Amino acid sequence: MLIHIDGDSFFASIEQSVKPYLKGKPVVTGKERNIIAAASIEAKKRGVGRGMTLWDAKKMIPDLVVLPTDYETVSLFSKRMHDIIRRYTPVVEEYGVDEAFADLTGLRRYHHTSYEGIAAAMQKDIHGELGITVTMGIAPTKTLCKIAVDKGKPAGLISISRSRIDEALGGVEVKDIWNVGPATAALLRKYGMRTALEFKQKPEEYMKKLLTKPGMQTWYELNGIQAIPFEEEKVSYKSIGKSKTFTPPSNDKEFVFAQLVKNIENACMKARRYHQGTTNITIYLRTKEFRGVGIEGKVERVTAYPNELIGAVREMFEHIWKVGYYRATGVFLSNLQPLNPMQPTLFENPARLIRYTNLYGAIDELREHYGKHAVHLGASLHAQKTQHLSSRGDMPVRREMLVKGETKRKRLPIPMLQVPLR
Amino acid sequence: MSWPSPAEEELLDTISFDEWLIEPSTFMVKVQNDAMQNAGIFTDDIVIFRRGQKPKSGDIVIADIEGEWMMRYYQIEEGRPVLYPANGHYGVITPDELTVIGVIRSVIRRY
């Protein structure tokens, strides 16, 4: 049997956990983007949800508590949640920050309890130690686990045994099945399948004519046959991505390019911190209408220095730029490799390379002293100004509540209770 | 070929400060008053507490009393929890309702 563990309103619940005076209040995160990233159960009950603009949400809930996203604290909680799950089984797939799949097969005797008993113990540990709730779904396959979790939200524990699959699938619409996209859902409906049960009960040969491999995987999974593999390997820093939305959207080409360059500087900074460099760079632009356009480029050798990338990036940018309004830019550095020692390519002037290294070493040091963007490329100047204006009040509390010895950039990896103690 | 350093092997039996201080469910909180000063906990100290741990009499706890957050000694008297400060300027509290958030494990002070 597999289990799916899903944090309830994860980002918002974590805020309520470290700021317990917010328990029972409508809380949302995403202040820095003006769009709701997560809503607490109380906010959801009053009609506010993910993706809504803050402006709309505040109209619905005047006493709404709006917070910036605290990715650092979320990451600490995420790691702890996965660690707690690992106390019960070694086979865990971290499926995003707030979700996991785990395999409980064969562990009932070891834990002296049923699958439900194991799940309840995990749930209790997570709630007791982290102060957040999770929903659990137990079933023979991942897809069925997902359906169980949907039924159990929030804080529930639902189990679908082999003999009760049909019962569980009756009320589930095909569009709500995990991994079923709008196109597949429309196709299934066209062929008279409205519910997951109707889909599941169609003969295999019939479905094979209709669906491609991923669609058939879902069909097998609904029939209790594991078809989606378990991925235990944790995704490491194989790529680094940085993107930023700006408001209002802009049609100023150089401004948009500046935003892109700033993302490249940020991504390179992060790569250097992990002593990694890249040869593959992907850039993308997102239009006002949320359409995305991207392009991938390759440079001749591993680097983590914006200077060396900017020429290539400008070419790529010219390639995809079309007149219009844009709201976000982003960059991906993929195929990361160790940065040191830097191997100069043939015909290259090694002095140049060393000069770059030193230059950026100095910039990283300056940043420690004067903040992140003390020194940056001229090309991103445009973007620097807006960052400084908009970032005020958008900073998670934890960044300001430093303990002696912490810096704005580095803090202790322990969640901090953010309440005034009397 | 060279012999492995004996120092390496001896160090296998040591633990890092992290391992020593941080348990799976530890959180930290900044002390903002002198209510526990006679217990050696002062303003601006960092307290490491274990969230979700059941308190026993004599523990120092972080507790929620009807929306007020405090750090106090926890005592059970006649079957009821009582919160004692470690400073004569603060009163003893016998709350009707009390939620213990965690139990203090260590205090850190950087000079």
Side-chain angles (χ1 to χ4, degrees):
Chain A
M1 285 294 247
L2 304 182
I3 183 167
H4 178 48
I5 300 107
D6 190 358
D8 300 322
S9 311
F10 200 60
F11 287 60
S13 302
I14 288 170
E15 290 296 344
Q16 290 174 316
S17 171
V18 295
K19 301 178 181 71
Y21 53 89
L22 295 179
K23 287 232 161 97
K25 297 201 171 130
V27 177
V28 296
T29 66
K31 187 175 182 205
E32 73 286 357
R33 294 193 306 152
N34 281 315
I35 287 174
I36 291 176
S40 71
I41 292 161
E42 299 80 6
K44 279 182 187 157
K45 271 187 190 150
R46 288 164 70 180
V48 162
R50 195 190 185 120
M52 198 179 265
T53 65
L54 283 183
W55 195 75
D56 286 334
K58 275 187 192 151
K59 266 197 306 188
M60 295 176 73
I61 309 180
D63 58 328
L64 187 68
V65 180
V66 181
L67 298 169
T69 311
D70 184 351
Y71 291 102
E72 185 175 300
T73 301
V74 165
S75 304
L76 291 174
F77 271 71
S78 172
K79 182 169 184 306
R80 286 189 177 193
M81 183 177 91
H82 291 118
D83 286 347
I84 291 172
I85 298 164
R86 281 203 187 83
R87 286 181 203 161
Y88 293 89
T89 168
V91 189
V92 178
E93 176 183 339
E94 298 186 12
Y95 190 76
V97 280
D98 56 346
E99 292 180 47
F101 287 102
D103 193 343
L104 301 180
T105 310
L107 290 169
R108 280 177 295 187
R109 182 184 289 202
Y110 175 71
H111 289 296
H112 302 292
T113 179
S114 60
Y115 292 128
E116 290 77 9
I118 302 172
M122 276 189 206
Q123 218 170 12
K124 189 167 162 261
D125 280 2
I126 292 171
H127 184 246
E129 294 177 24
L130 299 178
I132 59 171
T133 63
V134 292
T135 302
M136 306 230 162
I138 303 170
T141 67
K142 282 184 173 181
T143 306
L144 292 169
C145 284
K146 276 274 182 187
I147 287 172
V149 160
D150 287 344
K151 289 175 187 282
K153 281 265 163 195
L157 193 175
I158 302 277
S159 121
I160 302 176
S161 64
R162 253 172 223 290
S163 56
R164 304 213 137 166
I165 294 177
D166 287 8
E167 214 173 290
L169 298 185
V172 178
E173 285 187 58
V174 287
K175 71 166 171 54
D176 294 330
I177 304 171
W178 185 51
N179 284 340
V180 170
T184 310
L187 180 74
L188 294 174
R189 273 197 306 273
K190 194 129 231 153
Y191 282 85
M193 292 165 263
R194 304 190 150 272
T195 67
L197 180 62
E198 287 164 342
F199 173 28
K200 180 229 160 192
Q201 287 176 331
K202 284 276 186 284
E204 184 176 357
E205 290 313 311
Y206 176 81
M207 289 316 300
K208 268 189 177 163
K209 279 179 206 139
L210 223 52
L211 297 176
T212 54
K213 197 186 161 217
M216 279 315 287
Q217 275 187 339
T218 301
W219 184 87
Y220 288 121
E221 290 248 320
L222 291 176
N223 277 284
I225 302 157
Q226 279 186 37
I228 299 172
F230 226 81
E231 283 162 38
E232 280 175 71
E233 213 37 49
K234 216 192 128 197
V235 192
S236 60
Y237 270 103
K238 275 181 286 190
S239 69
I240 285 174
K242 287 279 172 194
S243 72
K244 197 146 175 80
T245 306
F246 38 91
T247 39
S250 171
N251 65 346
D252 177 342
K253 188 174 177 183
E254 291 315 311
F255 175 80
V256 175
F257 185 65
Q259 292 286 344
L260 180 67
V261 172
K262 195 170 76 165
N263 284 323
I264 291 167
E265 288 183 308
N266 282 336
C268 284
M269 215 183 265
K270 189 163 183 186
R272 289 200 300 274
R273 204 182 298 157
Y274 292 96
H275 306 288
Q276 300 284 301
T278 186
T279 54
N280 296 52
I281 180 163
T282 305
I283 60 168
Y284 62 91
L285 309 175
R286 191 180 293 277
T287 69
K288 190 165 65 106
E289 295 80 22
F290 288 100
R291 265 198 301 274
V293 51
I295 185 171
E296 191 186 353
K298 217 175 151 152
V299 292
E300 54 184 347
R301 72 192 153 77
V302 178
T303 177
Y305 302 99
N307 287 22
E308 300 181 335
L309 288 168
I310 200 154
V313 164
R314 184 75 209 195
E315 260 177 65
M316 288 155 68
F317 177 76
E318 294 290 347
H319 230 83
I320 56 173
W321 170 265
K322 282 199 184 78
V323 176
Y325 279 86
Y326 291 84
R327 66 163 69 235
T329 67
V331 59
F332 258 112
L333 307 181
S334 49
N335 189 24
L336 291 187
Q337 297 163 35
L339 189 59
N340 292 319
M342 285 175 69
Q343 296 281 350
T345 48
L346 211 58
F347 306 119
E348 197 170 30
N349 181 356
R352 224 168 101 99
L353 198 59
I354 286 164
R355 202 170 67 227
Y356 279 173
T357 312
N358 289 341
L359 178 61
Y360 278 93
I363 290 171
D364 289 342
E365 239 165 70
L366 278 175
R367 208 182 55 242
E368 300 262 5
H369 286 101
Y370 304 108
K372 205 167 172 187
H373 290 283
V375 180
H376 49 80
L377 291 181
S380 70
L381 186 63
H382 239 339
Q384 304 299 337
K385 290 183 202 141
T386 47
Q387 152 112 23
H388 286 297
L389 278 181
S390 69
S391 64
R392 238 161 256 152
D394 289 354
M395 200 74 104
V397 176
R398 180 63 180 89
R399 298 254 171 153
E400 327 249 291
M401 255 189 152
L402 299 179
V403 311
K404 213 174 206 171
E406 288 184 329
T407 65
K408 282 237 182 263
R409 201 164 78 79
K410 289 199 166 180
R411 288 155 300 280
L412 292 168
I414 316 172
M416 181 188 266
L417 191 68
Q418 299 160 10
V419 293
L421 285 186
R422 300 208 164 238
Chain B
M1 280 289 272
S2 65
W3 293 102
S5 155
E8 289 273 321
E9 203 179 312
E10 290 306 320
L11 289 176
L12 290 176
D13 297 335
T14 61
I15 56 170
S16 68
F17 262 101
D18 275 7
E19 291 168 301
W20 185 54
L21 280 173
I22 307 174
E23 294 161 280
S25 58
T26 42
F27 278 56
M28 61 177 175
V29 66
K30 236 175 163 169
V31 180
Q32 293 143 64
N33 63 30
D34 53 3
M36 293 303 285
Q37 68 174 23
N38 295 341
I41 303 174
F42 301 104
T43 307
D44 288 337
D45 283 356
I46 296 300
V47 160
I48 308 269
F49 67 96
R50 206 164 163 179
R51 191 157 187 157
Q53 184 177 323
K54 252 182 110 75
K56 18 181 235 309
S57 260
D59 280 344
I60 301 173
V61 300
I62 308 278
D64 166 13
I65 299 108
E66 292 161 26
E68 298 251 335
W69 302 84
M70 45 188 88
M71 178 169 56
R72 297 287 190 273
Y73 275 119
Y74 176 92
Q75 272 317 327
I76 295 288
E77 289 174 7
E78 295 163 9
R80 290 191 59 184
V82 183
L83 296 180
Y84 283 96
N87 181 338
H89 298 297
Y90 289 75
V92 176
I93 301 165
T94 312
D96 291 329
E97 226 179 279
L98 163 127
T99 313
V100 172
I101 302 298
V103 174
I104 273 60
R105 302 286 293 167
S106 41
V107 181
I108 299 169
R109 185 176 314 136
R110 265 195 69 162
Y111 294 101

